[in-house]
Amino acid sequence: MRLRALLDTDALGLRLLGGQDELDRAVRGVMTTDLRDPSRYLSGGELVLTGLAWRRDASDSEPFVRLLVQAQVAALAAGEAELGDVPEDLVLACARHRLPLFAVHESVAFATITEHVVRQVSGERAGDLAAVVDRHRRMMTSGPAGGGPDVVLDLLGSDLDLRAWVLSPTGRLVAGPKAAGPGLPAEVCAKLAAEHLAAARTGRRGPHRVILGGATYSLFPVRSGGRAPQAAGDVRGTVLSDWLLAVEADAGDWAEERLDLLQGVTQLISVERDRRDAARTVRRRLAQEVLELVQTGAAPAEIAARLRVAAPVLLPGLGAAPHWQVVVARVEWDGAEGSAAEGGPIAQSLLEEILVDPHATGPEPSDRIAVAHTGDEAVALVPLPAVAGEHDGPGSGVLADTLLASVREPLAAGLDGDGRVTLGVSAAVHSAEGLRGALEEARHARRVAAARPGRVCAAGHQELASHVLLLPFVPDDVRRAFTARLLDPLRDYDRRHRAELIPTLEAFLDCDGSWTRCASRLHLHVNTLRYRVGRIEQLTGRDLSRLEDKLDFFLALRMS
């Protein structure tokens, strides 16, 4: 389609600010961005939509426009919702570079423009996807009964003979073709998400080709049409929030026209994603209000009143107010000092996904989760039916040791060796009075998780009654000195003589100092065990019959 045709469509609310002589340019696609440098995601010919969040002052307009021109985009459309009128410095920069510039009225959603452009461009390119777009448009205007992304994927199968699935960044199956037989196994979804995140971290453009179990998949990113959370334009933030479209086919030998068709499908699915995100707004606001009340020390009665409002939204049809758990998450990147304020939205988006049941499908299974963010952390308010909250045993509510089990592989790939995700989980609380304590408990648990090795770690409230609560707060230099004094002589001796004193010490402590049980576990004669323990005592000057020395060795092993 031509730029001129956009101005002829009143429903799009576009007003031309410059580039009258360039209106015959062809539009090949559309992209929404607030990145300071979106060039890596542009292939040329796009209508770029922006809310101007990248602009901090007038000096930012010139480099932004220059990057768009170098990427050979067709035009730029700037929304008026954020700043009112489009800044004059942006108008002048576009005029200097002969880049057509449109203003988008604040009453018009970017999703409306995206759908219109995708439908027009796809219809002009090929008839097979034109049917998909048109039917999807009708589906979107028919309400929930229309079927959502599953219908789009069914149309891909019937019209283009392609099997495809929409996956979350954690590998959860968001949508799949209902007419294509069994869905993807959970382990395949996790591996595909991991491959996608790893490829996206390199900055390579999709689709990414992956071979799993003899099948070839092409992975297309599905980016939100709104402002995805991102760290100062850093791709590290967006990869943890974008969906992906996994197509069971090798797109490497596809013609450009077919690739364009699939890119159009991802843009259609992104409209569904935006609808899902809009539905989360109410839950996020409820969580933010409760969090602010708790942190400012509001009266329990005021907090309880807010919880009564939240309960029917999060657990529709529930007769009584539920019990609650608090989960705190933090996303950190190596060498990202100064960006802590931007880490909260990233952690919020990620925590909303992590807390979804990994076996749940569809774009809206997270409607019982309310997540707020403050500073560099996200805080989730998880409602539990009263029957679950009455038991604080291992079978109730969110459990830290299982929370990350299904998402660890893809998240580790997305963090790519320079990021960390840490989570803390509180016990269930039964009233507003307990919510402040639950928040502090979850934060303490997250700090315990942060002290552990690994890129993806979680800790629960059960661990806060143990010595492990103290270990994370021991300074690193004290840890190193303490463990070196006790364990280095044993390690040196093991290295020279292959005596296995460290494993012997671990087993002896684990058997509570029982000679017979320890000897049996190590398959040693008791005299041999006594010789090894004697050597440990000789090398360290400690006495393993004394409780104090046993405790010192135990702590040294845990901190090493």
Side-chain angles (χ1 to χ4, degrees):
M1 66 178 301
R2 304 290 175 182
L3 289 174
R4 192 179 305 279
L6 296 174
L7 287 175
D8 295 336
T9 307
D10 295 337
L12 299 184
L14 295 178
R15 179 165 51 89
L16 184 64
L17 300 181
Q20 179 70 39
D21 297 336
E22 306 292 333
L23 292 181
D24 287 326
R25 290 187 183 186
V27 179
R28 299 177 60 248
V30 62
M31 176 190 178
T32 299
T33 186
D34 277 309
L35 295 171
R36 295 171 68 84
D37 180 5
S39 56
R40 71 173 66 188
Y41 304 116
L42 297 168
S43 57
E46 293 94 348
L47 170 66
V48 175
L49 305 173
T50 181
L52 299 176
W54 51 265
R55 182 185 178 275
R56 297 173 182 172
D57 53 48
S59 64
D60 290 332
S61 293
E62 174 68 23
F64 181 78
V65 171
R66 189 185 309 117
L67 288 169
L68 296 186
V69 172
Q70 291 172 353
Q72 299 182 329
V73 304
L76 175 66
E80 296 179 323
E82 187 75 18
L83 301 178
D85 293 336
V86 176
E88 184 66 20
D89 49 90
L90 181 60
V91 176
L92 294 176
C94 289
R96 279 194 296 271
H97 292 277
R98 301 179 64 83
L99 179 66
L101 175 63
F102 299 93
V104 182
H105 193 270
E106 62 180 358
S107 63
V108 179
F110 283 176
T112 301
I113 301 174
T114 297
E115 183 193 355
H116 177 83
V117 172
V118 170
R119 179 159 22 93
Q120 294 299 320
V121 171
S122 300
E124 292 172 0
R125 284 182 184 150
D128 51 4
L129 194 63
V132 176
V133 176
D134 186 59
R135 289 156 71 181
H136 181 57
R137 178 186 58 79
R138 294 197 300 270
M139 175 201 74
M140 290 174 61
T141 57
S142 63
D150 295 315
V151 174
V152 180
L153 301 181
D154 277 333
L155 296 177
L156 274 180
S158 61
D159 291 16
L160 301 181
D161 196 26
L162 291 174
R163 293 211 313 161
W165 300 265
V166 178
L167 306 179
S168 77
T170 61
R172 183 177 60 85
L173 183 64
V174 175
K178 297 184 181 302
L184 285 178
E187 60 272 16
V188 174
C189 292
K191 289 184 181 297
L192 289 176
E195 293 284 351
H196 169 72
L197 291 176
R201 283 297 309 274
T202 67
R204 291 189 288 119
R205 291 181 178 177
H208 310 300
R209 182 174 176 269
V210 177
I211 299 177
L212 286 178
T216 301
Y217 300 89
S218 296
L219 310 179
F220 296 78
V222 178
R223 298 189 174 90
S224 173
R227 292 178 193 151
Q230 50 212 8
D234 197 330
V235 71
R236 295 185 299 189
T238 60
V239 297
L240 296 178
S241 60
D242 288 342
W243 285 356
L244 67 137
L245 177 68
V247 181
E248 190 177 2
D250 187 351
D253 56 359
W254 283 2
E256 184 177 351
E257 289 77 10
R258 173 155 284 216
L259 284 173
D260 288 344
L261 296 180
L262 265 294
Q263 295 291 357
V265 171
T266 66
Q267 292 174 344
L268 288 175
I269 295 172
S270 75
V271 175
E272 299 290 342
R273 168 70 185 272
D274 292 340
R275 285 191 170 191
R276 192 283 311 266
D277 288 344
R280 284 183 170 177
T281 302
V282 173
R283 299 191 295 276
R284 286 180 170 181
R285 186 168 61 247
L286 284 172
Q288 202 74 39
E289 291 174 355
V290 173
L291 178 61
E292 290 173 2
L293 289 174
V294 171
Q295 292 193 136
T296 56
E302 188 177 358
I303 299 174
R306 181 51 52 189
L307 290 177
R308 283 194 294 272
V309 173
V313 175
L314 302 178
L315 286 177
L318 195 67
H323 299 169
W324 305 90
Q325 271 183 291
V326 175
V327 181
V328 172
R330 185 169 177 174
V331 177
E332 300 171 284
W333 303 100
D334 296 347
E337 292 83 359
S339 63
E342 301 183 45
I346 298 172
Q348 179 185 43
S349 177
L350 186 59
L351 186 55
E352 286 172 332
E353 184 59 45
I354 289 175
L355 286 171
V356 176
D357 183 344
H359 302 294
T361 59
E364 287 293 345
S366 57
D367 56 0
R368 296 183 178 184
I369 300 165
V371 184
H373 71 81
T374 175
D376 59 353
E377 70 180 12
V379 179
L381 194 64
V382 181
L384 305 173
V387 65
E390 290 168 1
H391 310 285
D392 287 335
S396 66
V398 176
L399 299 176
D401 55 353
T402 59
L403 188 60
L404 299 178
S406 61
V407 301
R408 192 179 302 276
E409 180 182 2
L411 283 184
L415 298 167
D416 192 30
D418 65 349
R420 294 197 75 201
V421 173
T422 52
L423 293 96
V425 182
S426 78
V429 295
H430 318 309
S431 65
E433 287 86 347
L435 208 55
R436 184 177 182 84
L439 176 60
E440 291 305 314
E441 191 174 59
R443 283 174 168 162
H444 279 304
R446 193 208 63 78
R447 286 193 286 271
V448 170
R452 294 172 174 168
R455 293 290 173 181
V456 184
C457 299
H461 62 94
Q462 303 92 336
E463 301 173 67
L464 300 187
S466 169
H467 63 276
V468 295
L469 175 62
L470 303 176
L471 298 185
F473 308 105
V474 178
D476 288 342
D477 55 344
V478 176
R479 284 177 179 236
R480 287 191 293 269
F482 182 74
T483 58
R485 186 181 306 116
L486 283 175
L487 301 183
D488 279 2
L490 307 182
R491 292 185 179 125
D492 291 342
Y493 191 87
D494 280 348
R495 192 161 43 247
R496 294 196 309 269
H497 302 283
R498 299 181 181 178
E500 298 187 355
L501 295 185
I502 292 289
T504 300
L505 176 62
E506 291 174 332
F508 186 72
L509 295 175
D510 194 43
C511 292
D512 299 321
S514 170
W515 296 100
T516 54
R517 282 195 289 126
C518 184
S520 175
R521 174 180 294 189
L522 296 175
H523 306 288
L524 297 175
H525 192 279
V526 172
N527 288 341
T528 304
L529 176 61
R530 290 185 183 277
Y531 172 81
R532 289 187 182 180
V533 170
R535 179 63 68 182
I536 292 171
E537 293 174 334
Q538 180 185 20
L539 290 169
T540 61
R542 298 299 184 105
D543 182 355
L544 277 167
S545 66
R546 298 178 68 246
L547 176 61
E548 294 88 343
D549 288 342
K550 285 181 182 177
L551 181 59
D552 282 349
F553 277 122
F554 177 78
L555 292 174
L557 289 169
R558 290 300 298 265
M559 289 191 294
S560 65

